[in-house]
Amino acid sequence: MARLNVEIGSLKLKNPVLTASGTFGYGTEFADFVDLNRLGGFIVKGTTLNAREGNDYPRMAETPSGMLNAVGLQNKGVDYFINNIYPTLLDIDSEIIVNVSGASIDDYVEVARRLAPLERINAIEVNISCPNVKQGGMAFGTTCEGAASVTKAVRNAFNKTLIVKLSPNVTDIASIAKAVEAEGADSVSLINTMLGMAIDVERQRPYLSTITGGLSGPAVRPIAVRMVWQVAKAVKIPIIGLGGITSGKDALEFIMAGATAIQVGTYNFVDPTVTSKIVDEIDDYCHRHNVSDINELRGII
Amino acid sequence: MKKYILDFVVRHNEKLGGRFGLLKLTPANGSQLPEIAAGQFVQVSVDGSKTTFLRRPISINFVDKVTNELWLLIRNAGNGTEHLLSSKPGDVLNMVMPLGNGFPVEDATGRVLLVGGGVGTAPLLYLGKILRDNGLDVNYLIGARTKDELLMIDNLKEYGTVYISTDDGSAGDPGLVTQNKVWDEKWDRIYCCGPAPMMKGVARNARKSSTQCFVSLENMMACGVGACLCCVERTTKGNVCVCTEGPVFEINQLTWQD
């Protein structure tokens, strides 16, 4: 499947299929369903400097062709990841990318600094787009200045591949992408969840403890494809596209819109084997269309 | 315990009282059912429903090793479960299973009380069989609003003595399960599954009599495998996933207030 090889910064991926942060645990949760070595890589759960308990239950609601979540970056902190999770991932032959979140720029920098020496972590994805935390998160991702300042600071602390995950909750995502590119990001991933809300009318209260939450799933896919297409016209760095991907066909929409790689998120909950199927479906597409290199399809629209 | 993603064929769909039904299924490829512990659950894909996106978590009601059948007791709680309950013999349902940790049974001894309410009765049928096979004195306490909503009582009777409470007194003791006369007796262990207020009441009774008590929670979940972190319950160890750390918890692990 050499025709599926792609590059993101210094990362050489065996195929463009990654998993989205927060939807695939640490990979091992899916080991009974998917041969993790078949994936281009996986992006582990959002990691912060200190442990976070996350938001109160209830944290999810099913919505048309998707779901809302308000997890709020529950995780055990970067040191727990380094000491307890990282050692369990060393036998996996695909890229492990850590999603990094913080309430302040110093937090992001410190997490990146601690991850930098890990031999198997060749990239981090800086999350400036989480809609479910009160401080930091999306606050940095909705202005060019905020996005640029986080990118610049993390860039100085981390010399391997730096991906910045963008929020769709902005008027002009291309300008944010340009701002992080200018500060040295190697790649941008988009989109994080769309801010949404749902109300249980029988009980006359919101479904989520936080009232609003992040919308994901096929419902957001057309928005995500449009945003990838817009960003592809604006930046030169590679784009990782995500938002409602359920199949090889969906993944190819993002690639044709300008993405170099893609992430599968919410659909892992519906079909835990979907990532492996998407690798096969993209390869089958290349076979049927006589595509010798997946990169030929990138940005053809 | 290894998890599988398997197609199952519906063999029987039996209508029970009220909004309840019982599906009996067998692996579509003819294979033997994997090892399943009482109290585990499945995530069922709901195909062909216009409004359902995620799988539905359903607790395992019974494992019949003779017929190689898995039983799911389902309450019609919306479009997803309604669609499942409209399945016909021969239909195929895809499941991720078995999930979660079952009820601890190895260290149980003596007289045990299994308390169920509504669809929460579901996992207690298989639990009772396992406990009885282990030589225990199995007793059920089943609660319902009214006589017509009592589920699978004849099946439960195969494995233990059944006590009943109904809100309207149409069967058994009138009132809540926590007011039933069985609480005057001494129990070696209590297992409970049902609506949260009922489980909290049972936990209070258990604490009062210093009886070990295990409850099975049914928090809303998306993935069922510990990835989405949506189904969390607050415990003495902080927020933990009900799907992987539970669904069964010893009551002192929980932070339920009296």
Side-chain angles (χ1 to χ4, degrees):
Chain A
M1 287 192 183
R3 60 185 165 202
L4 298 191
N5 295 354
V6 297
E7 293 183 16
I8 300 285
S10 61
L11 290 186
K12 293 185 193 329
L13 304 178
K14 64 181 89 169
N15 62 62
V17 180
L18 307 169
T19 62
S21 173
T23 65
F24 207 65
Y26 295 104
T28 47
E29 289 86 343
F30 287 76
D32 282 344
F33 310 114
V34 179
D35 177 359
L36 300 172
N37 301 321
R38 294 204 72 213
L39 307 181
F42 53 95
I43 298 172
V44 302
K45 177 73 194 156
T47 302
T48 51
L49 183 56
N50 301 310
R52 286 178 57 93
E53 278 295 306
N55 293 320
D56 285 343
Y57 179 86
R59 294 178 172 183
M60 58 120 358
E62 188 180 54
T63 56
S65 292
M67 63 178 279
L68 290 166
N69 89 80
V71 173
L73 296 174
Q74 179 180 330
N75 78 104
K76 292 182 175 172
V78 66
D79 290 338
Y80 184 88
F81 172 77
I82 292 169
N83 296 323
N84 299 90
I85 308 287
Y86 176 71
T88 69
L89 306 177
L90 300 177
D91 290 339
I92 299 168
D93 178 29
S94 57
E95 290 294 339
I96 304 154
I97 299 167
V98 181
N99 181 279
V100 172
S101 284
S104 69
I105 290 180
D106 289 346
D107 283 2
Y108 283 102
V109 169
E110 188 54 27
V111 176
R113 198 185 64 74
R114 292 188 195 185
L115 293 169
L118 302 183
E119 198 183 336
R120 287 295 317 281
I121 306 298
N122 295 314
I124 57 173
E125 178 182 65
V126 173
N127 179 4
I128 55 167
S129 42
C130 179
N132 294 324
V133 290
K134 289 198 182 78
Q135 289 181 309
M138 197 171 85
F140 289 112
T142 48
T143 65
C144 290
E145 297 75 22
S149 60
V150 176
T151 307
K152 184 178 183 179
V154 175
R155 178 74 287 173
N156 286 331
F158 190 81
N159 61 10
K160 296 188 266 187
T161 298
L162 172 59
I163 303 160
V164 178
K165 187 169 185 178
L166 304 183
S167 172
N169 301 299
V170 295
T171 311
D172 180 9
I173 196 167
S175 65
I176 310 262
K178 282 202 276 195
V180 304
E181 180 185 43
E183 294 298 344
D186 296 304
S187 169
V188 286
S189 55
L190 61 146
I191 59 176
N192 205 322
T193 53
M194 301 276 311
L195 194 62
M197 178 169 161
I199 297 168
D200 181 340
V201 297
E202 289 301 325
R203 294 191 175 88
Q204 303 188 353
R205 63 188 188 207
Y207 280 107
L208 301 177
S209 69
T210 48
I211 305 177
T212 63
L215 178 66
S216 64
V220 306
R221 193 194 312 135
I223 298 169
V225 172
R226 180 265 294 177
M227 288 187 159
V228 164
W229 180 75
Q230 288 176 320
V231 169
K233 304 285 178 218
V235 300
K236 295 190 176 63
I237 53 177
I239 297 164
I240 304 172
L242 71 153
I245 293 174
T246 70
S247 67
K249 179 176 150 294
D250 298 345
L252 285 156
E253 276 199 71
F254 282 84
I255 291 168
M256 291 182 190
T260 298
I262 59 96
Q263 296 176 13
V264 184
T266 306
Y267 213 71
N268 287 308
F269 306 155
V270 177
D271 179 359
T273 67
V274 68
T275 44
S276 189
K277 288 178 188 164
I278 289 175
V279 173
D280 290 333
E281 287 166 12
I282 295 174
D283 192 61
D284 178 61
Y285 180 93
C286 290
H287 178 73
R288 287 189 290 112
H289 289 264
N290 288 318
V291 175
S292 59
D293 179 355
I294 185 75
N295 293 290
E296 291 169 18
L297 294 173
R298 184 173 66 239
I300 60 171
I301 304 298
Chain B
M1 200 179 273
K2 185 171 161 56
K3 298 186 270 285
Y4 299 85
I5 178 161
L6 283 175
D7 282 338
F8 279 76
V9 181
V10 177
R11 276 199 183 151
H12 307 278
N13 180 354
E14 299 170 13
K15 204 163 165 41
L16 305 179
R19 298 182 292 161
F20 300 92
L22 179 67
L23 298 185
K24 296 182 177 177
L25 310 107
T26 193
N29 62 8
S31 65
Q32 281 295 306
L33 287 168
E35 193 192 335
I36 295 167
Q40 289 191 293
F41 67 98
V42 299
Q43 281 267 60
V44 190
S45 178
V46 187
D47 298 333
S49 160
K50 278 182 189 163
T51 58
T52 311
F53 174 63
L54 297 166
R55 288 174 183 264
R56 292 294 183 268
I58 308 283
S59 72
I60 293 168
N61 172 233
F62 195 71
V63 178
D64 188 334
K65 288 184 177 150
V66 177
T67 58
N68 202 35
E69 282 174 354
L70 180 80
W71 297 7
L72 301 179
L73 172 58
I74 299 173
R75 178 171 67 104
N76 181 346
N79 290 335
T81 43
E82 181 171 358
H83 200 78
L84 293 175
L85 287 171
S86 69
S87 305
K88 292 178 178 58
D91 286 354
V92 172
L93 298 178
N94 184 268
M95 294 188 209
V96 180
M97 58 82 72
L99 300 174
N101 302 305
F103 292 101
V105 293
E106 295 302 327
D107 57 344
T109 54
R111 300 185 73 216
V112 291
L113 183 65
L114 282 58
V115 188
V119 78
T121 305
L124 303 183
L125 179 63
Y126 191 50
L127 175 64
K129 179 195 187 306
I130 299 285
L131 292 170
R132 199 217 43 183
D133 288 353
N134 289 354
L136 275 73
D137 176 6
V138 175
N139 297 267
Y140 289 102
L141 170 58
I142 304 300
R145 268 177 295 198
T146 179
K147 188 172 172 245
D148 296 340
E149 294 182 8
L150 289 165
L151 299 167
M152 302 185 77
I153 298 297
D154 289 340
N155 298 78
L156 297 175
K157 280 179 179 166
E158 288 182 41
Y159 306 113
T161 308
V162 178
Y163 301 91
I164 288 168
S165 284
T166 50
D167 292 358
D168 65 0
S170 54
D173 282 11
L176 304 172
V177 289
T178 46
Q179 299 161 327
N180 193 285
K181 62 182 181 299
V182 300
W183 294 103
D184 297 337
E185 298 176 41
K186 174 97 183 94
W187 302 100
D188 292 305
R189 180 178 281 185
I190 296 161
Y191 298 96
C192 180
C193 186
M198 189 200 94
M199 289 197 287
K200 287 179 181 175
V202 168
R204 266 195 299 276
N205 281 8
R207 271 198 213 99
K208 249 183 253 168
S209 59
S210 302
T211 311
Q212 193 175 34
C213 180
F214 294 90
V215 294
S216 180
L217 308 186
E218 50 168 21
N219 294 10
M220 275 189 301
M221 59 183 67
C223 75
V225 296
C228 73
L229 308 187
C230 287
C231 64
V232 291
E233 178 73 18
R234 189 166 290 166
T235 69
T236 52
K237 294 191 298 177
N239 284 332
V240 303
C241 287
V242 166
C243 66
T244 50
E245 303 286 317
V248 177
F249 293 90
E250 205 273 326
I251 54 172
N252 294 320
Q253 293 176 274
L254 303 174
T255 56
W256 288 354
Q257 303 298 316
D258 269 327

